[in-house]
Amino acid sequence: MKEIVKDGIILAKHIQASEWEQGLKFYSNDDEFIQVGTWNYDANKELLAHTHNEVERKVYWTQEVLYIKQGSISAKIYDINDNFIEELIAKDGDVLILLRGGHGYTILEDNTQVLEIKNGPYVGADNDRRRL
């Protein structure tokens, strides 16, 4: 996993499809607002049924996870002061975790398919983001 860090702040993480490990692996730190992990098990593995307890959480930033199902994208990563830091190329099966700072995307292939997941509740575009 590649981490993009500026001034001690983790801005983004890039997990390539080839990095998925056997078993359960979480790539998030416990204090991050979005938790991202992968599963990799053989047939007949049973994961015990469970429910999640009601826990009050205070969330300061929207964080996003992109799963590149098909195709590829260029993701430009910016720090918390809107300075360009790095460009990542994410391809089939890759995961990008966008934690802080800014980001923008360019689609590199026709029919690129991306699943985006972010924490909520959604408070509307005007309140949730600012264009760079």
Side-chain angles (χ1 to χ4, degrees):
M1 174 183 66
K2 176 181 182 156
E3 288 187 336
I4 298 176
V5 180
K6 175 74 185 295
D7 298 327
I9 297 171
I10 301 171
L11 303 171
K13 298 178 183 185
H14 181 196
I15 305 160
Q16 293 185 330
S18 61
E19 296 180 89
W20 287 38
E21 299 177 13
Q22 184 67 24
L24 174 65
K25 165 73 174 166
F26 267 85
Y27 296 91
S28 304
N29 298 324
D30 287 346
D31 63 345
E32 292 168 350
F33 298 127
I34 197 156
Q35 297 292 300
V36 180
T38 56
W39 299 2
N40 183 357
Y41 295 114
D42 291 330
N44 300 316
K45 168 71 175 173
E46 183 175 349
L47 303 173
L48 298 177
H50 65 280
T51 186
H52 293 274
N53 299 325
E54 183 175 326
V55 177
E56 186 174 345
R57 293 175 171 94
K58 193 167 190 176
V59 176
Y60 294 100
W61 299 280
T62 299
Q63 297 183 332
E64 298 178 10
V65 176
L66 302 182
Y67 170 70
I68 315 307
K69 178 183 175 197
Q70 178 176 300
S72 60
I73 67 169
S74 161
K76 292 183 178 162
I77 308 300
Y78 298 82
D79 68 12
I80 62 171
N81 297 310
D82 302 339
N83 298 305
F84 173 75
I85 300 299
E86 189 169 334
E87 179 180 15
L88 299 170
I89 304 298
K91 302 176 181 179
D92 295 358
D94 287 2
V95 175
L96 292 178
I97 306 171
L98 303 153
L99 299 170
R100 293 285 309 275
H103 47 270
Y105 313 112
T106 301
I107 306 303
L108 300 178
E109 297 179 47
D110 289 343
N111 200 32
T112 291
Q113 298 176 12
V114 176
L115 173 67
E116 178 180 328
I117 302 162
K118 59 186 173 185
N119 55 320
Y122 184 61
V123 295
D126 291 339
N127 293 319
D128 193 64
R129 71 173 180 222
R130 175 180 51 83
R131 298 281 185 201
L132 303 185

